Amino acid sequence: MPTTLLALLEHETPARDRCSAALQRAQVASENGRAQAEQLLHYRRDYQARWSPQARGASSVELLHSFRAFMQRLDDAVAQQRHQVHALEAQQAAVQRQCQAHERRLASLRVLIERRRAMAAVQARRREQKDHDEFAQRQSTARPQHAPDTLSVHADAVPTTY
């Protein structure tokens, strides 16, 4: 079997492993991004829920303005975090496609190597059979064939004397 296929297999396996590790890191980053986005949303809801009772009471215009400004900053942070989550998910998808490509290449190489091994085994069996047949042929031609014995005396034949 060509050593190039084995070299390709040895090269592709660590590449696939590195890609798998990168995919794992991308998945963790995506999960962390989603968790952070969820925390921001939760904080925003809590802050808004706490403000509502205060807003019913007498609130100054300055306090209302601060609340709205802070809510706007929270909305901006939520939007930015959603954008970051989308980017992380896109990166994760790209790394996943790369890993799938590595897996396909590895699977193809393994199939090709197995086919080459099977072909080599078939050729070896054929060579062995050919060698065996040639040996048998040489053995049969080297041994004289037993011809009927013309000098042998049959038991029912009568001997003649001269």
Side-chain angles (χ1 to χ4, degrees):
M1 173 177 24
T3 57
T4 54
L5 289 177
L6 293 176
L8 282 172
L9 186 67
E10 288 176 9
H11 173 74
E12 191 62 34
T13 300
R16 185 262 334 251
D17 294 344
R18 286 189 302 274
C19 190
S20 293
L23 177 60
Q24 213 169 24
R25 288 189 301 273
Q27 288 170 335
V28 168
S30 291
E31 289 170 11
N32 289 343
R34 283 189 294 274
Q36 192 172 5
E38 187 59 38
Q39 286 175 342
L40 278 170
L41 284 172
H42 184 69
Y43 180 75
R44 185 188 181 287
R45 279 181 285 211
D46 284 351
Y47 188 78
Q48 189 172 19
R50 280 183 291 167
W51 173 257
S52 294
Q54 291 176 354
R56 285 186 221 136
S59 297
S60 69
V61 173
E62 187 177 308
L63 190 60
L64 184 58
H65 180 67
S66 293
F67 168 75
R68 288 185 179 166
F70 187 69
M71 287 300 289
Q72 181 60 46
R73 285 194 300 268
L74 278 176
D75 288 340
D76 292 344
V78 167
Q80 184 179 4
Q81 188 60 31
R82 283 183 181 154
H83 179 71
Q84 182 69 23
V85 166
H86 289 300
L88 289 169
E89 288 173 344
Q91 182 181 7
Q92 178 184 346
V95 172
Q96 189 166 12
R97 285 189 300 275
Q98 288 175 346
C99 287
Q100 290 169 343
H102 283 291
E103 287 294 339
R104 281 191 303 275
R105 280 192 294 271
L106 276 172
S108 296
L109 281 171
R110 287 183 185 121
V111 166
L112 187 56
I113 288 170
E114 189 55 40
R115 285 182 185 166
R116 296 275 171 93
R117 283 183 179 157
M119 284 174 34
V122 166
Q123 289 173 347
R125 282 193 302 272
R126 286 180 182 163
R127 249 188 329 272
E128 186 178 311
Q129 183 64 43
K130 180 182 173 192
D131 292 346
H132 180 55
D133 292 347
E134 287 175 359
F135 179 76
Q137 180 67 29
R138 282 193 303 268
Q139 289 295 330
S140 68
T141 56
R143 238 184 284 150
Q145 294 293 331
H146 292 292
D149 229 352
T150 55
L151 300 175
S152 64
V153 179
H154 294 297
D156 50 318
V158 178
T160 56
T161 54
Y162 294 93

